[in-house]
Amino acid sequence: MKQLTKAEEQIMQALWQTGPAFVKDIIEVMPEPKPHYNTVSTLVKILIEKGFIDFKAYGKSHQYFALITKDAYSHKTMSTLVKGYFGGSFSNMVSFFVKEKELSITDLEKLVQKIKDTQKPRP
């Protein structure tokens, strides 16, 4: 999976939020300042070439939809981040955030509880 630029990621965030959408719908949910229609159209074409989105044609109009889920992209992005900056260790990443005071003891306790909950056998 290729890496997205910040602008491309904004388009994907909009599509993940709205579901299938026309360019005007994508622009509508994007943060201020809103990008120009032509800018969004160009980015959409790039995302099609990269294999992140596709479209359904309605005459001359196109409705775009994501081919990659937000969860799949998030997983790949986080894995790349952890490998590149934390030697592939999620515990090193958590330690970094604790040292930077970005993660409190309460946050850590919640994280540990979530880990325990996901490892419980399901009936």
Side-chain angles (χ1 to χ4, degrees):
M1 185 181 304
K2 295 179 181 178
Q3 194 70 24
L4 295 175
T5 66
K6 190 172 186 172
E8 292 166 351
E9 193 169 324
Q10 284 184 323
I11 302 295
M12 291 303 298
Q13 291 288 352
L15 277 175
W16 288 324
Q17 180 182 339
T18 64
F22 297 93
V23 170
K24 67 177 182 60
D25 302 321
I26 295 170
I27 294 168
E28 208 171 276
V29 298
M30 292 184 74
E32 294 291 341
K34 304 278 187 196
H36 190 273
Y37 186 96
N38 291 343
T39 303
V40 174
S41 292
T42 299
L43 288 166
V44 163
K45 288 175 186 153
I46 291 167
L47 287 165
I48 290 170
E49 290 170 11
K50 286 185 170 184
F52 281 89
I53 65 175
D54 204 353
F55 65 91
K56 184 173 182 180
Y58 295 96
K60 291 185 179 184
S61 296
H62 294 88
Q63 186 180 43
Y64 301 97
F65 55 91
L67 293 174
I68 308 293
T69 66
K70 185 175 184 176
D71 284 344
Y73 184 73
S74 297
H75 183 275
K76 176 65 176 166
T77 301
M78 288 305 298
S79 294
T80 301
L81 176 79
V82 170
K83 285 178 189 169
Y85 291 96
F86 302 104
S89 168
F90 281 93
S91 64
N92 286 350
M93 181 184 74
V94 172
S95 294
F96 169 81
F97 286 112
V98 169
K99 287 177 195 169
E100 296 297 315
K101 299 191 185 339
E102 299 289 332
L103 197 61
S104 69
I105 296 297
T106 304
D107 292 335
L108 277 174
E109 289 169 346
K110 288 178 184 176
L111 182 59
V112 168
Q113 188 58 50
K114 282 183 181 182
I115 292 168
K116 287 179 181 178
D117 290 346
T118 60
Q119 292 181 347
K120 287 181 183 174
R122 293 200 164 85

